[in-house]
Amino acid sequence: MALMLYDTMAREKRLFEPQDPKRVTMYVCGPTVYNYAHIGNARPAVVFDVLFRLLRHIYGEKEVVYARNITDIDDKIIKAHQETGVPISEITATYAEIYRADMGAVGVLKPTLEPTATGHIAEMQTLISGLMEAGAAYAAEGHVLFDISAYDAYGQLSGVDQDAMLAGARVEVAPYKKNPSDFVLWKPSAEDEPGWEAPAAWGFEGRGRPGWHLECSAMIASNLGTTIDIHGGGHDLRFPHHENEIAQSACVHNGAPLARYWMHNGFLQMGTEKMSKSLGNIKTVHQLLEQWPGEALRWALLSAKYREPLEWTDELVAQSKSSLDRIYRILLRSQDIPADRELGEGDFESFLDTLSDDLNTPAAFSRIFETVTALSSLLDEYEKNKSAPLKQAIAAHKGVLMMAGDVLGLFREAPEAWFKSGLNIDPGEIDRLLAARADARANKDFATADKIRDDLLAQGVVIEDAPEGATWRRA
Ligand code: AMP
Ligand code: ZN
């Protein structure tokens, strides 16, 4: 089996060959923890989780080192603190925990390492000092800036040229910059902002904090090494974030490249727009998990090729849920025949070939349905004639299904539990009943209101009253 990965830098699919098959390294830019993650944020987590699982399958579990960081120092976090009065460490600890729980619910394995930005301030300062010594960074008005002219290859990953960057006003123009594209490595902190003392060698005094791009470069160098195998993230991170990581890391490491393969997932969209907090068109993973099993969300996220845009709709999740229902029905029907992974090995290898073509999950799903269809006819026959060869064929096909599930992070539930956790009532019907209950309460008809609540509860739906109106969740 050959693993082919689309490398954003090379702009083509390349055969994946790790530097050291005994230590395959991957880094994916993780969340800034000040808020609930939306389902778009879950896309990179799920996509790179599939890659992590596939790499572990190929090279061995202990041989793959996957780091996904937590950005726990950032202006948006400081703003959340200023608005709510909640201490920063409490905000970041709370949302990091929610992130872990939400990603766990959509089947994402814990990465091998989860470095935090605040845990690597010393490494970031060392990196800055190295860049200053190399003549690639300079201090100005309490800031340290990266000097873009020190890195000739700047812009190679995303293909943006510097004029276009300026025209797009994506870079902040400031009087103390030598070149408008120079970016911040370190900036001063006000009295009420978190900060760390600048090292004496930088030639100025005062508290400051790192820029976001620097964090990843420092965490990669100290946790994974100078040059890693795979660096991933969402499409939006190519520029400026990844360009800046590349420039900083190369300049402090004598030109050694930061990563050998660059991978970027496409956007999850609402209609034609990217789902994003700033556009306000988000659905949080937390909200969605109240209505849907985590596996249905995961299936939906993997239903398109990872590089392509994916439009998020209720129908997409409903279809994903019913695809899984079909698979779990087969697993339930064949419950008495245990899966035989060894017998399924041959077909599983061919499934892996499909997936290994740049993580072609839609094609992998088609292969799964072929197996399900075959299983279904085998079970029809077996129910008429309980022969040993039929039983063996069923065990082999189930083996393929379970191994495919392991590498995709699916089919992890017991079939009975899957069907019990599903709702038998349509969410539209629930909304209609909630409105009827609100009317009843407005008319002081509490008997009717209570009856609606009890009837819904009997169907596994819990109503929660809030000042803005009632909402519901699965019991
Ligand atoms: P952020 O919290 O915005 O830095 O995003 C965290 C991760 O989610 C990054 O890898 C982003 O590229 C990715 N991301 C954010 N929005 C989307 C989206 N709508 N679709 C896919 N990936 C996204
Ligand atoms: Zn990063």
Side-chain angles (χ1 to χ4, degrees), residues 163-419:
D163 294 341
M165 286 190 281
L166 277 178
R170 296 280 298 272
V171 290
E172 197 187 343
V173 181
Y176 49 79
K177 288 185 180 180
K178 285 190 198 165
N179 181 316
S181 304
D182 291 352
F183 57 88
V184 167
L185 299 168
W186 190 264
K187 62 178 170 188
S189 289
E191 198 67 18
D192 59 347
E193 292 172 339
W196 292 263
E197 222 33 72
W202 294 0
F204 63 89
E205 280 181 6
R207 290 161 63 256
R209 59 185 187 278
W212 170 42
H213 318 302
L214 178 76
E215 297 176 6
C216 290
S217 284
M219 288 188 268
I220 290 171
S222 73
N223 290 283
L224 298 176
T226 303
T227 299
I228 59 172
D229 287 312
I230 300 169
H231 192 317
H235 191 68
D236 50 339
L237 299 189
R238 291 170 313 145
F239 171 80
H241 185 56
H242 288 164
E243 294 288 10
N244 293 357
E245 284 186 31
I246 289 170
Q248 293 157 172
S249 294
C251 287
V252 84
H253 292 136
N254 287 317
L258 176 56
R260 303 171 60 245
Y261 298 80
W262 283 90
M263 293 177 67
H264 295 94
N265 65 272
F267 291 144
L268 186 134
Q269 303 187 158
M270 286 293 240
T272 55
E273 281 183 321
K274 176 192 172 195
M275 181 180 283
S276 81
K277 276 171 205 148
S278 54
L279 290 174
N281 59 355
I282 65 167
K283 286 212 174 174
T284 67
V285 179
H286 215 69
Q287 285 169 334
L288 288 163
L289 283 169
E290 290 175 357
Q291 279 191 53
W292 302 100
E295 284 200 2
L297 303 180
R298 186 173 176 100
W299 183 287
L301 287 170
L302 295 174
S303 63
K305 289 189 187 171
Y306 77 91
R307 294 181 53 228
E308 289 173 4
L310 170 64
E311 194 181 331
W312 192 261
T313 59
D314 286 343
E315 294 77 64
L316 171 71
V317 199
Q319 272 165 19
S320 302
K321 164 81 167 55
S322 61
S323 295
L324 285 160
D325 284 346
R326 197 174 146 209
I327 294 160
Y328 276 109
R329 249 191 313 273
I330 278 290
L331 293 175
L332 194 61
R333 244 183 104 190
S334 59
Q335 217 172 192
D336 298 333
I337 305 177
D340 188 326
R341 290 167 190 246
E342 241 164 78
L343 277 182
E345 196 57 51
D347 282 347
F348 177 57
E349 282 307 313
S350 136
F351 166 86
L352 282 180
D353 285 339
T354 302
L355 185 64
S356 300
D357 178 16
D358 196 29
L359 303 184
N360 192 342
T361 48
F365 285 0
S366 304
R367 298 296 304 269
I368 285 173
F369 280 124
E370 286 167 19
T371 305
V372 168
T373 307
L375 256 176
S376 172
S377 352
L378 284 167
L379 282 162
D380 288 345
E381 278 187 60
Y382 184 73
E383 276 148 23
K384 285 181 239 139
N385 163 26
K386 300 216 166 357
S387 80
L390 276 174
K391 189 173 176 183
Q392 214 181 40
I394 292 168
H397 280 77
K398 259 185 94 169
V400 179
L401 210 52
M402 297 324 292
M403 288 189 283
D406 289 345
V407 82
L408 291 170
L410 290 165
F411 327 140
R412 292 165 299 132
E413 302 214 20
E416 277 139 343
W418 172 264
F419 287 108

Side-chain angles (χ1 to χ4, degrees), residues 287-297 321 413 417-424 430 457 459-464 471-475:
Q287 285 169 334
L288 288 163
L289 283 169
E290 290 175 357
Q291 279 191 53
W292 302 100
E295 284 200 2
L297 303 180
K321 164 81 167 55
E413 302 214 20
W418 172 264
F419 287 108
K420 270 196 206 122
S421 66
L423 285 175
N424 294 320
I430 303 176
L457 189 59
Q459 302 189 73
V461 177
V462 178
I463 297 184
E464 281 175 326
T471 57
W472 64 272
R473 60 176 173 84
R474 292 196 297 151

Side-chain angles (χ1 to χ4, degrees), residues 11 17-18 27 37 40 44 58 71 75 81 104 108 148 164 171 183 196 199 261 338-339 379-380 397 402 426 475:
R11 289 164 178 72
E17 288 172 308
Y27 182 91
I58 301 171
T71 295
D75 289 358
H81 157 67
V108 173
I148 208 92
V171 290
F183 57 88
W196 292 263
Y261 298 80
L379 282 162
D380 288 345
H397 280 77
M402 297 324 292
D426 176 52

Side-chain angles (χ1 to χ4, degrees), residues 74 96 100 136 143 146 319 367 376 432-433 452 465 468 470:
D74 182 275
R100 291 186 193 105
H143 294 70
F146 182 86
Q319 272 165 19
R367 298 296 304 269
S376 172
R432 200 190 60 73
L433 287 168
I452 293 175
D465 285 302
E468 312 80 60

